[in-house]
Amino acid sequence: MLRQVLHRGLRTCFSRLGHFIASHPVFFASAPVLISILLGASFSRYQVEESVEHLLAPQHSLAKIERNLVNSLFPVNRSKHRLYSDLQTPGRYGRVIVTSFQKANMLDQHHTDLILKLHAAVTKIQVPRPGFNYTFAHICILNNDKTCIVDDIVHVLEELKNARATNRTNFAITYPITHLKDGRAVYNGHQLGGVTVHSKDRVKSAEAIQLTYYLQSINSLNDMVAERWESSFCDTVRLFQKSNSKVKMYPYTSSSLREDFQKTSRVSERYLVTSLILVVTMAILCCSMQDCVRSKPWLGLLGLVTISLATLTAAGIINLTGGKYNSTFLGVPFVMLGHGLYGTFEMLSSWRKTREDQHVKERTAAVYADSMLSFSLTTAMYLVTFGIGASPFTNIEAARIFCCNSCIAIFFNYLYVLSFYGSSLVFTGYIENNYQHSIFCRKVPKPEALQEKPAWYRFLLTARFSEDTAEGEEANTYESHLLVCFLKRYYCDWITNTYVKPFVVLFYLIYISFALMGYLQVSEGSDLSNIVATATQTIEYTTAQQKYFSNYSPVIGFYIYESIEYWNTSVQEDVLEYTKGFVRISWFESYLNYLRKLNVSTGLPKKNFTDMLRNSFLKAPQFSHFQEDIIFSKKYNDEVDVVASRMFLVAKTMETNREELYNLLETLRRLSVTSKVKFIVFNPSFVYMDRYASSLGAPLHNSCISALFLLFFSAFLVADSLINVWITLTVVSVEFGVIGFMTLWKVELDCISVLCLIYGINYTIDNCAPLLSTFVLGKDFTRTKWVKNALEVHGVAILQSYLCYIVGLIPLAAVPSNLTCTLFRCLFLIAFVTFFHCFAILPVILTFLPPSKKKRKEKKNPENREEIECVEMVDIDSTRVVDQITTV
């Protein structure tokens, strides 16, 4: 009883609100426009988010804490001494992969000379500044002897060239560790790709070679020069490529990912304009009909204007509060499109159900009472689910900002639908009541006055007048609308046909089977190339790197951050045991073995051991680089302790398999907790992978919980709690299918797809809630009758919004970007699966599942008896036939 009273009270409130807006249409039409102009004007000076790590890496992760610890122990510049990939932080750098179209050996004489020429051209790049030209020598990472550090593969190629020039045959390159003539062992697993080896790891050929150039960025001026050098580096590589057409070069810099991520916005512009034109055209067509008075093409256009004003207002607020733009915002207009269009079409559908002889204010009040309650509840669902996503519980900044922007846009869209679109409905209502043309707003003459006009003129002014309706005939002047006619006369009867239902159930079982098959193959996608434009440096470089340099994982730093007893043989064995199974590519391992042998043979005490350890750096040239891997602390009695040490490891794993690399990280983490020696492991890629799966699923998980909570809470607000049960089951079915089918469509569970799934919860409720509400609340007729009635009442609005939404999504499929490709596939699946449930699954299942629709037996009293007139007829054979004519 309380539910019915509350439901009736809310309808009364919305009815009064509609009457009030209809009494002041000019104010409510102009206020949203002024607010949007004032707030949206600030968006003309928007800022772009520069840091991809800030957007896509988990905000609170152990990897960031480990990076701070590593940076405090070992200086960043010295960490790049041997250029083992990105040891601590990427910084500024330029990379190029050189390969051949014909899979030639890049170590032969011709290609060796070519690569060394490229190296010379890169080192001569100049960045002009007022009064000075900067070269690579001015901004490079410096060695201990104040010379530029270059990739060790350059030294290998130079020695290979010298060996060929002197006809030396004893020089051999081994893989993945080779030795130079000065005795240094260098790791080349990330510099030589597509390697074919002889016996004893001797390299026979290599299909690709990678060069890396690290730059300083210690201050703002240095960082600006380094950024310009990176741009010149790419231009130099492209020019070198044009002059040497037989080789293929893939340049890449520290700015490439950021530039290619934001490039999606630029390449999407003309496609979004096309999408807007298509949506406007479809919205106008969906609101049009042959009757020129009752047609509402302007409302289709004004519905999109309402959505645009809300989006502009939200963008202005985000900009004024210090928010920065990023390419994920491309999904916000489509979130608004799905919610806003259905709300406006539902209001238009309610307008068609009002009586034409009523005043415009009364009709508007009836529209608000009929449609605003469900629209308000679905808007609240959007705000709660996206609001949870915008909370600090969301660990990925891109998802949090997207949800925050969506919340603001949806809130203002709700206000603008109530005010701006409601006022537009009032204005078009007055045009209709005055029998004015829906487009040209001129008075439409009666058919008698059009007899002498041309056929095309009569067609444009076709209208039905109320006095033309015969007395006693039910006038439904909106049945001439194409979609209304289609649903009422054809589709409703067809979908509820007894012979059609088994096929629909069969299709649903097939749907569940394929969805389950895809659901069992879901994988998290932490590959950053999934969020950039396609024809970019990032995609080309990443593809080449995965093809040629995936034999070994990224270099992992193994850092011991406590003062351990290095003279203790058991500790030495423990350290070597923890790194067993890895390729150890630093001098620490070989030196530790040397000390281990020396300690075993001599039994040195602690003081002698540490003195020898310190002095060996000055006396042993073969360990000259090892001093960067140990930090000493001098005590008051001149004793020396080893405060921290490190070595670098490479796992024999597939870098393309992100799951395998993630498992490796988790294994090392568990080992660091249980080991006797306190150590941490780190690589910059861990910042993106660390807790990525849990951080990624958190917004969806929290949104689902909040959606279920709101559905449970709203059960006390709606007229029947069974509505929420059906909504919950429908949402689960739709989300399950979307996740399964998007996996089969090669879409991974990344930031974009998770945001789409959050939106999918709300989109399903948007479309299915009014349909289910009408069915559940229906009484006194059969289930089939109420299924037909629900489709007739709400099916037109669902179909109109679906057509506009799909038409708007189609251009998105052509955008050359992985981000928009993921966006299109997820949104298309959400729209299609929801449409499949609204127009096929639910209409069939509801015909034989609760609630039941038993007829109420009314007690007959003397004042309400059935009068039966019996007419007796006798035929020729004296057969008596009684014809009963019943009137009430």
Side-chain angles (χ1 to χ4, degrees), residues 376-385 703-718 724 728 762 765:
S376 300
L377 290 177
T378 54
T379 301
M381 185 68 71
Y382 272 94
L383 294 177
V384 170
T385 52
S703 296
C704 290
I705 293 177
S706 61
L708 291 174
F709 173 77
L710 187 59
L711 286 172
F712 174 77
F713 178 74
S714 62
F716 301 98
L717 300 177
V718 298
N724 288 10
T728 304
N762 301 282
I765 297 174

PDB file of all heavy atoms in Angstrom, residues 376-385 703-718 724 728 762 765:
ATOM      1  N   SER A 376      13.669   9.467 -14.093  1.00  0.00           N
ATOM      2  CA  SER A 376      14.391   9.908 -12.894  1.00  0.00           C
ATOM      3  C   SER A 376      15.106   8.740 -12.224  1.00  0.00           C
ATOM      4  O   SER A 376      16.250   8.874 -11.767  1.00  0.00           O
ATOM      5  CB  SER A 376      13.421  10.557 -11.908  1.00  0.00           C
ATOM      6  OG  SER A 376      12.793  11.675 -12.481  1.00  0.00           O
ATOM      7  N   LEU A 377      14.442   7.591 -12.156  1.00  0.00           N
ATOM      8  CA  LEU A 377      15.061   6.418 -11.517  1.00  0.00           C
ATOM      9  C   LEU A 377      16.260   5.918 -12.314  1.00  0.00           C
ATOM     10  O   LEU A 377      17.291   5.561 -11.743  1.00  0.00           O
ATOM     11  CB  LEU A 377      14.024   5.306 -11.356  1.00  0.00           C
ATOM     12  CG  LEU A 377      12.929   5.566 -10.312  1.00  0.00           C
ATOM     13  CD1 LEU A 377      11.924   4.424 -10.303  1.00  0.00           C
ATOM     14  CD2 LEU A 377      13.530   5.747  -8.924  1.00  0.00           C
ATOM     15  N   THR A 378      16.144   5.893 -13.641  1.00  0.00           N
ATOM     16  CA  THR A 378      17.289   5.458 -14.454  1.00  0.00           C
ATOM     17  C   THR A 378      18.425   6.473 -14.387  1.00  0.00           C
ATOM     18  O   THR A 378      19.601   6.090 -14.390  1.00  0.00           O
ATOM     19  CB  THR A 378      16.859   5.255 -15.910  1.00  0.00           C
ATOM     20  OG1 THR A 378      16.230   6.443 -16.406  1.00  0.00           O
ATOM     21  CG2 THR A 378      15.892   4.097 -16.035  1.00  0.00           C
ATOM     22  N   THR A 379      18.103   7.761 -14.307  1.00  0.00           N
ATOM     23  CA  THR A 379      19.148   8.772 -14.135  1.00  0.00           C
ATOM     24  C   THR A 379      19.852   8.595 -12.796  1.00  0.00           C
ATOM     25  O   THR A 379      21.083   8.721 -12.716  1.00  0.00           O
ATOM     26  CB  THR A 379      18.543  10.186 -14.224  1.00  0.00           C
ATOM     27  OG1 THR A 379      17.916  10.356 -15.498  1.00  0.00           O
ATOM     28  CG2 THR A 379      19.614  11.248 -14.048  1.00  0.00           C
ATOM     29  N   ALA A 380      19.089   8.294 -11.746  1.00  0.00           N
ATOM     30  CA  ALA A 380      19.700   8.029 -10.438  1.00  0.00           C
ATOM     31  C   ALA A 380      20.632   6.824 -10.507  1.00  0.00           C
ATOM     32  O   ALA A 380      21.703   6.811  -9.874  1.00  0.00           O
ATOM     33  CB  ALA A 380      18.611   7.799  -9.398  1.00  0.00           C
ATOM     34  N   MET A 381      20.253   5.824 -11.306  1.00  0.00           N
ATOM     35  CA  MET A 381      21.113   4.656 -11.477  1.00  0.00           C
ATOM     36  C   MET A 381      22.427   5.045 -12.162  1.00  0.00           C
ATOM     37  O   MET A 381      23.509   4.596 -11.758  1.00  0.00           O
ATOM     38  CB  MET A 381      20.388   3.595 -12.294  1.00  0.00           C
ATOM     39  CG  MET A 381      21.141   2.300 -12.434  1.00  0.00           C
ATOM     40  SD  MET A 381      21.283   1.422 -10.871  1.00  0.00           S
ATOM     41  CE  MET A 381      19.604   0.891 -10.647  1.00  0.00           C
ATOM     42  N   TYR A 382      22.344   5.883 -13.187  1.00  0.00           N
ATOM     43  CA  TYR A 382      23.557   6.383 -13.837  1.00  0.00           C
ATOM     44  C   TYR A 382      24.447   7.119 -12.847  1.00  0.00           C
ATOM     45  O   TYR A 382      25.673   6.908 -12.805  1.00  0.00           O
ATOM     46  CB  TYR A 382      23.179   7.335 -14.978  1.00  0.00           C
ATOM     47  CG  TYR A 382      22.943   6.681 -16.312  1.00  0.00           C
ATOM     48  CD1 TYR A 382      21.676   6.309 -16.705  1.00  0.00           C
ATOM     49  CD2 TYR A 382      23.990   6.460 -17.197  1.00  0.00           C
ATOM     50  CE1 TYR A 382      21.437   5.728 -17.940  1.00  0.00           C
ATOM     51  CE2 TYR A 382      23.772   5.882 -18.436  1.00  0.00           C
ATOM     52  CZ  TYR A 382      22.497   5.515 -18.800  1.00  0.00           C
ATOM     53  OH  TYR A 382      22.281   4.932 -20.022  1.00  0.00           O
ATOM     54  N   LEU A 383      23.854   8.001 -12.064  1.00  0.00           N
ATOM     55  CA  LEU A 383      24.631   8.814 -11.134  1.00  0.00           C
ATOM     56  C   LEU A 383      25.294   7.959 -10.065  1.00  0.00           C
ATOM     57  O   LEU A 383      26.437   8.219  -9.670  1.00  0.00           O
ATOM     58  CB  LEU A 383      23.726   9.868 -10.489  1.00  0.00           C
ATOM     59  CG  LEU A 383      23.166  10.937 -11.434  1.00  0.00           C
ATOM     60  CD1 LEU A 383      22.237  11.877 -10.677  1.00  0.00           C
ATOM     61  CD2 LEU A 383      24.283  11.727 -12.100  1.00  0.00           C
ATOM     62  N   VAL A 384      24.603   6.933  -9.593  1.00  0.00           N
ATOM     63  CA  VAL A 384      25.182   6.076  -8.552  1.00  0.00           C
ATOM     64  C   VAL A 384      26.314   5.226  -9.113  1.00  0.00           C
ATOM     65  O   VAL A 384      27.403   5.165  -8.533  1.00  0.00           O
ATOM     66  CB  VAL A 384      24.081   5.194  -7.919  1.00  0.00           C
ATOM     67  CG1 VAL A 384      24.705   4.124  -7.024  1.00  0.00           C
ATOM     68  CG2 VAL A 384      23.113   6.046  -7.121  1.00  0.00           C
ATOM     69  N   THR A 385      26.081   4.569 -10.240  1.00  0.00           N
ATOM     70  CA  THR A 385      27.114   3.683 -10.791  1.00  0.00           C
ATOM     71  C   THR A 385      28.346   4.454 -11.247  1.00  0.00           C
ATOM     72  O   THR A 385      29.477   4.085 -10.918  1.00  0.00           O
ATOM     73  CB  THR A 385      26.540   2.877 -11.967  1.00  0.00           C
ATOM     74  OG1 THR A 385      25.932   3.766 -12.911  1.00  0.00           O
ATOM     75  CG2 THR A 385      25.509   1.876 -11.497  1.00  0.00           C
ATOM     76  N   SER A 703      30.494  -0.656  -9.186  1.00  0.00           N
ATOM     77  CA  SER A 703      29.285  -0.177  -9.855  1.00  0.00           C
ATOM     78  C   SER A 703      28.189  -1.236  -9.820  1.00  0.00           C
ATOM     79  O   SER A 703      27.009  -0.907  -9.642  1.00  0.00           O
ATOM     80  CB  SER A 703      29.604   0.202 -11.306  1.00  0.00           C
ATOM     81  OG  SER A 703      30.511   1.274 -11.356  1.00  0.00           O
ATOM     82  N   CYS A 704      28.569  -2.489  -9.997  1.00  0.00           N
ATOM     83  CA  CYS A 704      27.568  -3.567  -9.919  1.00  0.00           C
ATOM     84  C   CYS A 704      26.955  -3.648  -8.523  1.00  0.00           C
ATOM     85  O   CYS A 704      25.738  -3.807  -8.377  1.00  0.00           O
ATOM     86  CB  CYS A 704      28.209  -4.905 -10.304  1.00  0.00           C
ATOM     87  SG  CYS A 704      28.626  -5.059 -12.050  1.00  0.00           S
ATOM     88  N   ILE A 705      27.805  -3.539  -7.503  1.00  0.00           N
ATOM     89  CA  ILE A 705      27.296  -3.584  -6.135  1.00  0.00           C
ATOM     90  C   ILE A 705      26.357  -2.404  -5.870  1.00  0.00           C
ATOM     91  O   ILE A 705      25.283  -2.552  -5.287  1.00  0.00           O
ATOM     92  CB  ILE A 705      28.458  -3.595  -5.131  1.00  0.00           C
ATOM     93  CG1 ILE A 705      29.249  -4.907  -5.250  1.00  0.00           C
ATOM     94  CG2 ILE A 705      27.946  -3.409  -3.705  1.00  0.00           C
ATOM     95  CD1 ILE A 705      30.454  -4.977  -4.349  1.00  0.00           C
ATOM     96  N   SER A 706      26.775  -1.214  -6.321  1.00  0.00           N
ATOM     97  CA  SER A 706      25.928  -0.038  -6.107  1.00  0.00           C
ATOM     98  C   SER A 706      24.626  -0.147  -6.883  1.00  0.00           C
ATOM     99  O   SER A 706      23.567   0.285  -6.406  1.00  0.00           O
ATOM    100  CB  SER A 706      26.680   1.231  -6.515  1.00  0.00           C
ATOM    101  OG  SER A 706      27.034   1.187  -7.897  1.00  0.00           O
ATOM    102  N   ALA A 707      24.689  -0.730  -8.098  1.00  0.00           N
ATOM    103  CA  ALA A 707      23.467  -0.905  -8.887  1.00  0.00           C
ATOM    104  C   ALA A 707      22.506  -1.868  -8.197  1.00  0.00           C
ATOM    105  O   ALA A 707      21.293  -1.617  -8.124  1.00  0.00           O
ATOM    106  CB  ALA A 707      23.821  -1.410 -10.286  1.00  0.00           C
ATOM    107  N   LEU A 708      23.036  -2.968  -7.665  1.00  0.00           N
ATOM    108  CA  LEU A 708      22.184  -3.914  -6.948  1.00  0.00           C
ATOM    109  C   LEU A 708      21.599  -3.291  -5.687  1.00  0.00           C
ATOM    110  O   LEU A 708      20.435  -3.510  -5.338  1.00  0.00           O
ATOM    111  CB  LEU A 708      22.995  -5.166  -6.587  1.00  0.00           C
ATOM    112  CG  LEU A 708      23.410  -6.063  -7.762  1.00  0.00           C
ATOM    113  CD1 LEU A 708      24.324  -7.172  -7.275  1.00  0.00           C
ATOM    114  CD2 LEU A 708      22.191  -6.641  -8.455  1.00  0.00           C
ATOM    115  N   PHE A 709      22.428  -2.493  -4.999  1.00  0.00           N
ATOM    116  CA  PHE A 709      21.929  -1.825  -3.797  1.00  0.00           C
ATOM    117  C   PHE A 709      20.807  -0.848  -4.143  1.00  0.00           C
ATOM    118  O   PHE A 709      19.784  -0.779  -3.451  1.00  0.00           O
ATOM    119  CB  PHE A 709      23.075  -1.088  -3.110  1.00  0.00           C
ATOM    120  CG  PHE A 709      22.638  -0.228  -1.942  1.00  0.00           C
ATOM    121  CD1 PHE A 709      22.337  -0.810  -0.720  1.00  0.00           C
ATOM    122  CD2 PHE A 709      22.519   1.141  -2.083  1.00  0.00           C
ATOM    123  CE1 PHE A 709      21.928  -0.022   0.346  1.00  0.00           C
ATOM    124  CE2 PHE A 709      22.102   1.926  -1.022  1.00  0.00           C
ATOM    125  CZ  PHE A 709      21.822   1.353   0.203  1.00  0.00           C
ATOM    126  N   LEU A 710      20.996  -0.079  -5.227  1.00  0.00           N
ATOM    127  CA  LEU A 710      19.967   0.881  -5.614  1.00  0.00           C
ATOM    128  C   LEU A 710      18.701   0.172  -6.074  1.00  0.00           C
ATOM    129  O   LEU A 710      17.583   0.623  -5.796  1.00  0.00           O
ATOM    130  CB  LEU A 710      20.492   1.796  -6.715  1.00  0.00           C
ATOM    131  CG  LEU A 710      19.592   2.966  -7.113  1.00  0.00           C
ATOM    132  CD1 LEU A 710      19.334   3.859  -5.916  1.00  0.00           C
ATOM    133  CD2 LEU A 710      20.211   3.766  -8.242  1.00  0.00           C
ATOM    134  N   LEU A 711      18.852  -0.953  -6.775  1.00  0.00           N
ATOM    135  CA  LEU A 711      17.676  -1.718  -7.176  1.00  0.00           C
ATOM    136  C   LEU A 711      16.923  -2.249  -5.956  1.00  0.00           C
ATOM    137  O   LEU A 711      15.688  -2.249  -5.918  1.00  0.00           O
ATOM    138  CB  LEU A 711      18.092  -2.879  -8.088  1.00  0.00           C
ATOM    139  CG  LEU A 711      18.486  -2.515  -9.519  1.00  0.00           C
ATOM    140  CD1 LEU A 711      19.059  -3.732 -10.235  1.00  0.00           C
ATOM    141  CD2 LEU A 711      17.287  -1.973 -10.291  1.00  0.00           C
ATOM    142  N   PHE A 712      17.674  -2.691  -4.957  1.00  0.00           N
ATOM    143  CA  PHE A 712      17.031  -3.171  -3.737  1.00  0.00           C
ATOM    144  C   PHE A 712      16.327  -2.028  -3.003  1.00  0.00           C
ATOM    145  O   PHE A 712      15.197  -2.170  -2.521  1.00  0.00           O
ATOM    146  CB  PHE A 712      18.082  -3.819  -2.827  1.00  0.00           C
ATOM    147  CG  PHE A 712      17.554  -4.212  -1.477  1.00  0.00           C
ATOM    148  CD1 PHE A 712      16.778  -5.350  -1.327  1.00  0.00           C
ATOM    149  CD2 PHE A 712      17.831  -3.426  -0.357  1.00  0.00           C
ATOM    150  CE1 PHE A 712      16.295  -5.715  -0.082  1.00  0.00           C
ATOM    151  CE2 PHE A 712      17.346  -3.783   0.885  1.00  0.00           C
ATOM    152  CZ  PHE A 712      16.578  -4.931   1.022  1.00  0.00           C
ATOM    153  N   PHE A 713      17.008  -0.885  -2.933  1.00  0.00           N
ATOM    154  CA  PHE A 713      16.417   0.254  -2.238  1.00  0.00           C
ATOM    155  C   PHE A 713      15.199   0.790  -2.987  1.00  0.00           C
ATOM    156  O   PHE A 713      14.191   1.160  -2.370  1.00  0.00           O
ATOM    157  CB  PHE A 713      17.470   1.351  -2.092  1.00  0.00           C
ATOM    158  CG  PHE A 713      16.955   2.598  -1.419  1.00  0.00           C
ATOM    159  CD1 PHE A 713      16.714   2.618  -0.053  1.00  0.00           C
ATOM    160  CD2 PHE A 713      16.711   3.749  -2.157  1.00  0.00           C
ATOM    161  CE1 PHE A 713      16.235   3.754   0.562  1.00  0.00           C
ATOM    162  CE2 PHE A 713      16.235   4.892  -1.551  1.00  0.00           C
ATOM    163  CZ  PHE A 713      15.997   4.906  -0.175  1.00  0.00           C
ATOM    164  N   SER A 714      15.291   0.829  -4.328  1.00  0.00           N
ATOM    165  CA  SER A 714      14.174   1.365  -5.106  1.00  0.00           C
ATOM    166  C   SER A 714      12.981   0.409  -5.120  1.00  0.00           C
ATOM    167  O   SER A 714      11.911   0.775  -5.597  1.00  0.00           O
ATOM    168  CB  SER A 714      14.625   1.655  -6.539  1.00  0.00           C
ATOM    169  OG  SER A 714      15.036   0.466  -7.185  1.00  0.00           O
ATOM    170  N   ALA A 715      13.176  -0.821  -4.633  1.00  0.00           N
ATOM    171  CA  ALA A 715      12.039  -1.748  -4.557  1.00  0.00           C
ATOM    172  C   ALA A 715      10.944  -1.202  -3.649  1.00  0.00           C
ATOM    173  O   ALA A 715       9.775  -1.558  -3.799  1.00  0.00           O
ATOM    174  CB  ALA A 715      12.515  -3.108  -4.045  1.00  0.00           C
ATOM    175  N   PHE A 716      11.329  -0.320  -2.724  1.00  0.00           N
ATOM    176  CA  PHE A 716      10.330   0.285  -1.844  1.00  0.00           C
ATOM    177  C   PHE A 716       9.696   1.529  -2.472  1.00  0.00           C
ATOM    178  O   PHE A 716       8.758   2.086  -1.915  1.00  0.00           O
ATOM    179  CB  PHE A 716      10.978   0.652  -0.506  1.00  0.00           C
ATOM    180  CG  PHE A 716      11.579  -0.522   0.200  1.00  0.00           C
ATOM    181  CD1 PHE A 716      12.935  -0.790   0.113  1.00  0.00           C
ATOM    182  CD2 PHE A 716      10.785  -1.387   0.942  1.00  0.00           C
ATOM    183  CE1 PHE A 716      13.496  -1.878   0.763  1.00  0.00           C
ATOM    184  CE2 PHE A 716      11.334  -2.481   1.595  1.00  0.00           C
ATOM    185  CZ  PHE A 716      12.689  -2.738   1.504  1.00  0.00           C
ATOM    186  N   LEU A 717      10.255   1.969  -3.611  1.00  0.00           N
ATOM    187  CA  LEU A 717       9.722   3.155  -4.271  1.00  0.00           C
ATOM    188  C   LEU A 717       8.810   2.798  -5.428  1.00  0.00           C
ATOM    189  O   LEU A 717       7.857   3.524  -5.708  1.00  0.00           O
ATOM    190  CB  LEU A 717      10.868   4.046  -4.771  1.00  0.00           C
ATOM    191  CG  LEU A 717      11.845   4.576  -3.702  1.00  0.00           C
ATOM    192  CD1 LEU A 717      12.948   5.377  -4.369  1.00  0.00           C
ATOM    193  CD2 LEU A 717      11.109   5.429  -2.675  1.00  0.00           C
ATOM    194  N   VAL A 718       9.114   1.700  -6.125  1.00  0.00           N
ATOM    195  CA  VAL A 718       8.299   1.316  -7.269  1.00  0.00           C
ATOM    196  C   VAL A 718       7.030   0.628  -6.785  1.00  0.00           C
ATOM    197  O   VAL A 718       6.934   0.183  -5.637  1.00  0.00           O
ATOM    198  CB  VAL A 718       9.083   0.389  -8.225  1.00  0.00           C
ATOM    199  CG1 VAL A 718      10.296   1.099  -8.795  1.00  0.00           C
ATOM    200  CG2 VAL A 718       9.508  -0.883  -7.511  1.00  0.00           C
ATOM    201  N   ASN A 724      11.951  -4.937 -10.050  1.00  0.00           N
ATOM    202  CA  ASN A 724      13.395  -4.933  -9.822  1.00  0.00           C
ATOM    203  C   ASN A 724      14.012  -6.308 -10.001  1.00  0.00           C
ATOM    204  O   ASN A 724      15.169  -6.435 -10.424  1.00  0.00           O
ATOM    205  CB  ASN A 724      13.682  -4.412  -8.412  1.00  0.00           C
ATOM    206  CG  ASN A 724      13.422  -2.920  -8.293  1.00  0.00           C
ATOM    207  OD1 ASN A 724      12.864  -2.320  -9.200  1.00  0.00           O
ATOM    208  ND2 ASN A 724      13.809  -2.328  -7.190  1.00  0.00           N
ATOM    209  N   THR A 728      16.995  -6.905 -12.649  1.00  0.00           N
ATOM    210  CA  THR A 728      18.274  -7.500 -12.254  1.00  0.00           C
ATOM    211  C   THR A 728      18.627  -8.695 -13.135  1.00  0.00           C
ATOM    212  O   THR A 728      19.770  -8.824 -13.604  1.00  0.00           O
ATOM    213  CB  THR A 728      18.217  -7.938 -10.780  1.00  0.00           C
ATOM    214  OG1 THR A 728      17.872  -6.817  -9.964  1.00  0.00           O
ATOM    215  CG2 THR A 728      19.558  -8.492 -10.332  1.00  0.00           C
ATOM    216  N   ASN A 762      23.547   0.533 -17.118  1.00  0.00           N
ATOM    217  CA  ASN A 762      22.553   1.605 -17.142  1.00  0.00           C
ATOM    218  C   ASN A 762      21.755   1.620 -18.436  1.00  0.00           C
ATOM    219  O   ASN A 762      20.555   1.903 -18.422  1.00  0.00           O
ATOM    220  CB  ASN A 762      23.259   2.947 -16.949  1.00  0.00           C
ATOM    221  CG  ASN A 762      24.027   3.012 -15.643  1.00  0.00           C
ATOM    222  OD1 ASN A 762      23.463   3.210 -14.591  1.00  0.00           O
ATOM    223  ND2 ASN A 762      25.328   2.828 -15.722  1.00  0.00           N
ATOM    224  N   ILE A 765      19.032  -0.973 -18.178  1.00  0.00           N
ATOM    225  CA  ILE A 765      17.936  -0.515 -17.306  1.00  0.00           C
ATOM    226  C   ILE A 765      17.120   0.575 -17.997  1.00  0.00           C
ATOM    227  O   ILE A 765      15.894   0.606 -17.891  1.00  0.00           O
ATOM    228  CB  ILE A 765      18.516  -0.021 -15.968  1.00  0.00           C
ATOM    229  CG1 ILE A 765      19.195  -1.184 -15.240  1.00  0.00           C
ATOM    230  CG2 ILE A 765      17.439   0.595 -15.099  1.00  0.00           C
ATOM    231  CD1 ILE A 765      19.912  -0.775 -13.977  1.00  0.00           C
TER     232      ILE A 765
END
